[in-house]
Structures are given as C-alpha cells and as structure tokens.
Amino acid sequence: MTQPFDERLRRWRLILGGGSADGICAGASGDTDGLDLTLSAADQAMDDALSALYDSDRQGSLGSSSPKVARWLGDIRSYFPSSVVKVMQQDALNRLNLRQMLLEPEMLEAVEPDVHLVSNLLSLSGVMPSKTKETARIVVRRVVEELQRKLENPTRQAVMGSLNRAIRNRRPHHNEIDWHRTIRANLKHYQPEYRTIIPETRIGYGRKRSSLRDIILCVDQSGSMATSVVYAGIFSAVLASLPAVQTRLVVFDTAVVDLSDLLQDPVEVLFGTQLGGGTDINQALAYCQTLIRQPQETILVLISDLYEGGDRQEMLKRVAALSSCGVQLVTLLALNDEGTPYYDHQNAAFMANLGIPAFACTPDLFPDLMAAAINRQDLGQWAANQDIVTARSDR
C-alpha cells in the first residue's frame, strides 16, 4: 500500500535529520507544494534522540553527562522497537565513547541489555566500582536468563537425542549382548528348518560409564572473541546440567583459567572471565590435555580466531598429537551471530589438513553441531549442509 506523500516526507525528514542539505523544505517555501513538514512534539523528540547520536560529531549532544545519557537511553526505548534500540546502543558505544559511562549504575539501569552490552560490561568488570558491579550483575543476569530460555531446550534435545543413539552398541562383545532386544530385532531372520534366529543385528547394552562423552570447551578470551565468550559460557552451563556428559570450561589469554566449578551459575562463569589481553593457545591446549581421561570419548571444542601469541610450532604439534590419539577436535573461529571473523588462515589451513574443519558457528546451530560431533559425523560435511564456509587446507 502506497504511503501518503506527506508521510513519506515526514519519514525522509527523520532519516535525513533536517539539515540544510537534506532537500526537504518546511511549509510552502520549497518543493513540498505547501505541505506543512513541521514535526509534531513526538516526532521532534524522536528527532532529537536521533540527532544526539548521529549528529554528535557536529554537536556533541550527549556530552559526558551520565544522567543525560541515561535519559537518552530511556527516550530511545520509548520511541523505537527493541531491535532498533540495540543497534543505536551499539552505535552510541562506538561513536560517543560511552564505555566510561557504563561504569555508572544509573546508565546501566536504563540500558536495553543484549549480548554486546554484556561483553562490554565483562571487559570493564575489573575497573568497576562495587556499587556499579552489582547493577552490572543484574543486567548480565537478565541477558543470560533470556539466552538460556532460548538455547537450553534445543541444546538438551539435540545432545540427549544424539547420546541416546550413540549408546546403542551395535557391535557388542558376547557378554554385552541385550538378548531380548537382539531377538526382537532379528525375528524376520527366523529359519524354520533350523528353528532358530540368525542374529544379523546384535544390540548391546552399551558401555556403563559415569559419562557417555567428555566435552571440553577451550575458549579464547582475547578482546576479539568477546561475544563468543558469552555464548560459550551459557552453552557450557547448559551442557554441564546434562548428567550424561561431563563438561569442562577452560578460558585463556596468556594465562589459563578452569571455570568448570562455576558452571552451575553462568553469571559467575562470565564474571570469571577477563576479556582482552594476549593469546597462548598452546598453553591452553596443554592444560586441556591433562583433563582428558578417555581420548576416544572426548570432544574438545577450541573457540578461537587462532592467532597464536605463544609458541606456534608447539601449538601445531599439540593439535596433531590430540588428533592422532583419538580426541575429536572441533575448531570454531567464532560462536556468535556476527558472520565470518578475522582469523589466522595459516593455522586454520593446518587444522584442515588434519581433517579438523575450522569455521564460525551461530548460536542457533551450536546444539546441532554438538549432536553431530557426538555421533562422530563428518563435521566438514555437516558445515557444508548448513551452508557454512570452512577454512581451506593449504594442500
């Protein structure tokens, strides 16, 4: 349906900002055939909110006043839908250098929380005053609980369904055969002349272990991986709630921290990270090696852009050793919704040469990825089926 001409002009006026070069004139003085383009009070307030952000290079409208910024954040939430608010908040962080203002509680109370805000708060947690940190925890918990509601059921269903399929032992030893299920599965092979069943398919009880799979998430917490750290922390907490798997979370920069004991509370996990700093992948993988009990039953998910600040040659040797001993390695260059990241192509190609595909994964696909890993599917083929581009080998 075509919009009225004056409504189209109104929208263009709000988009272009009313400057002298926007090509729209008010009243009967220009090209508008006498239409009155004077903004209503509500439109003028909306225009002021937009100008404070997008004309700030000329006007500096928000200044350095935290109460004024908090008021602006409240205004945009009343004028725009949540999806637009989040875009404007991110633009404000980048254009107006509002990171210092995130240290003020009144601003945090006004903000529309999302995963980017959480990563900003986590990166500032070390310098926050105590009064602000409590407010920041409330904001982070709101985002975490929202993401958990969205991600927990798909993760639980995908992983548990995959584990249930994996525990069916189709090549059992004699003392592992489930005879009742084996007979039912082979009734069609009954041989009347011999009055017996040919057990073409043998079904076993499976291996009784405290966990069916060991999952280690090894997460690069350098600044470029900020949103990936947030999602990895939440997924780790969800996986840790599943009794059929044992989950460990290891984060690293130039130091390595094991956050596995905090997985019952993902907010504590996230505040246990230290976003920013360098990267020592080799040291992190060396620690993860000490956690491996059953290589053939271990899935090691390395979430990193692969820029190694430590000993690269040792890191590559360690990756090869882990792969050769049967550990299932998964390399995620990013775990977020932001598209293909910057990453070390040479190290990614080395992974690909070993049959370890490296690619970025969105949070909505991560549960299915873990299910594919548990079933030992070809992850390169899985990625191709999802239209995900993997890093190329250098062969």
Side-chain angles (χ1 to χ4, degrees):
M1 182 175 178
T2 304
Q3 294 175 339
F5 182 59
D6 56 344
E7 174 62 15
R8 295 203 305 274
L9 287 177
R10 169 186 168 273
R11 288 173 176 259
W12 275 113
R13 163 65 182 78
L14 290 170
I15 291 170
L16 297 173
S20 58
D22 68 4
I24 298 175
C25 302
S29 59
D31 303 322
T32 62
D33 296 329
L35 292 176
D36 184 6
L37 289 184
T38 302
L39 296 177
S40 67
D43 284 347
Q44 187 60 56
M46 186 185 299
D47 188 58
D48 290 343
L50 290 166
S51 295
L53 174 58
Y54 296 108
D55 292 340
S56 60
D57 54 335
R58 296 192 297 271
Q59 301 173 15
S61 303
L62 289 180
S64 59
S65 166
S66 181
K68 192 171 184 180
V69 173
R71 194 161 50 247
W72 176 80
L73 288 166
D75 287 344
I76 64 174
R77 290 170 67 185
S78 64
Y79 302 144
F80 304 101
S82 178
S83 58
V84 175
V85 168
K86 291 177 180 179
V87 172
M88 293 180 72
Q89 285 178 176
Q90 191 63 36
D91 286 348
L93 286 170
N94 296 330
R95 294 169 63 91
L96 304 180
N97 194 25
L98 297 188
R99 291 178 181 271
Q100 181 61 35
M101 295 184 194
L102 283 176
L103 303 180
E104 299 297 331
E106 59 266 31
M107 180 171 175
L108 292 179
E109 291 167 356
V111 80
E112 183 79 20
D114 68 356
V115 68
H116 297 285
L117 176 63
V118 168
S119 62
N120 282 319
L121 292 177
L122 296 178
S123 67
L124 294 168
S125 63
V127 296
M128 280 185 183
S130 57
K131 65 174 184 176
T132 308
K133 187 167 288 189
E134 290 308 309
T135 308
R137 283 181 179 274
I138 294 172
V139 173
V140 170
R141 189 168 295 279
R142 285 166 59 191
V143 176
V144 166
E145 289 176 351
E146 178 183 344
L147 289 173
Q148 274 190 299
R149 283 193 295 271
K150 176 182 177 183
L151 301 173
E152 185 168 10
N153 281 340
T155 303
R156 184 178 295 273
Q157 291 172 8
V159 172
M160 291 307 298
S162 184
L163 284 167
N164 288 337
R165 290 189 295 274
I167 64 175
R168 294 174 186 167
N169 189 349
R170 296 290 182 173
R171 300 181 64 182
H173 297 294
H174 186 271
N175 62 352
E176 297 174 336
I177 295 176
D178 181 339
W179 288 107
H180 291 289
R181 291 174 63 200
T182 297
I183 290 170
R184 285 197 300 271
N186 291 280
L187 286 174
K188 61 184 176 181
H189 302 305
Y190 178 69
Q191 304 294 314
E193 62 273 28
Y194 298 109
R195 301 178 64 185
T196 190
I197 291 173
I198 304 299
E200 182 176 295
T201 301
R202 293 177 295 164
I203 301 175
Y205 287 107
R207 291 153 292 181
K208 293 179 172 61
R209 293 183 51 204
S210 58
S211 63
L212 297 170
R213 289 288 189 274
D214 294 341
I215 299 175
I216 303 171
L217 278 78
C218 184
V219 186
D220 182 345
Q221 60 177 353
S222 58
S224 61
M225 303 297 294
T227 53
S228 297
V229 172
V230 175
Y231 281 117
I234 294 171
F235 277 119
S236 296
V238 173
L239 291 169
S241 70
L242 305 178
V245 297
Q246 176 171 297
T247 302
R248 305 295 296 260
L249 174 63
V250 176
V251 298
F252 66 94
D253 42 36
T254 54
V256 179
V257 181
D258 191 332
L259 299 178
S260 305
D261 292 340
L262 302 178
L263 287 177
Q264 70 278 5
D265 186 347
V267 175
E268 291 302 316
V269 168
L270 295 181
F271 275 96
T273 62
Q274 291 288 333
L275 294 177
T279 308
D280 193 334
I281 302 173
N282 177 56
Q283 184 179 203
L285 291 178
Y287 177 78
C288 290
Q289 277 185 306
T290 68
L291 303 177
I292 295 172
R293 304 177 303 165
Q294 300 280 342
Q296 297 289 337
E297 305 300 331
T298 299
I299 300 170
L300 173 56
V301 184
L302 173 63
I303 303 176
S304 173
D305 56 17
L306 299 181
Y307 285 107
E308 173 64 307
D311 190 327
R312 178 176 180 271
Q313 292 304 316
E314 284 300 311
M315 184 267 286
L316 298 179
K317 290 179 183 177
R318 203 173 299 279
V319 168
L322 285 165
S323 179
S324 64
C325 74
V327 173
Q328 188 170 13
L329 277 163
V330 182
T331 305
L332 297 185
L333 304 170
L335 177 57
N336 57 37
D337 292 301
E338 295 164 14
T340 303
Y342 292 103
Y343 63 93
D344 188 307
H345 289 259
Q346 189 175 5
N347 287 338
F350 179 85
M351 301 275 191
N353 289 340
L354 293 176
I356 307 168
F359 52 87
C361 180
T362 57
D364 61 308
L365 287 177
F366 185 77
D368 191 51
L369 169 62
M370 291 309 300
I374 288 169
N375 282 327
R376 292 193 172 274
Q377 295 179 21
D378 182 332
L379 297 185
Q381 186 58 52
W382 176 88
N385 292 341
Q386 307 297 330
D387 294 324
I388 296 173
V389 177
T390 59
R392 297 180 180 179
S393 72
D394 55 7
R395 292 174 179 170

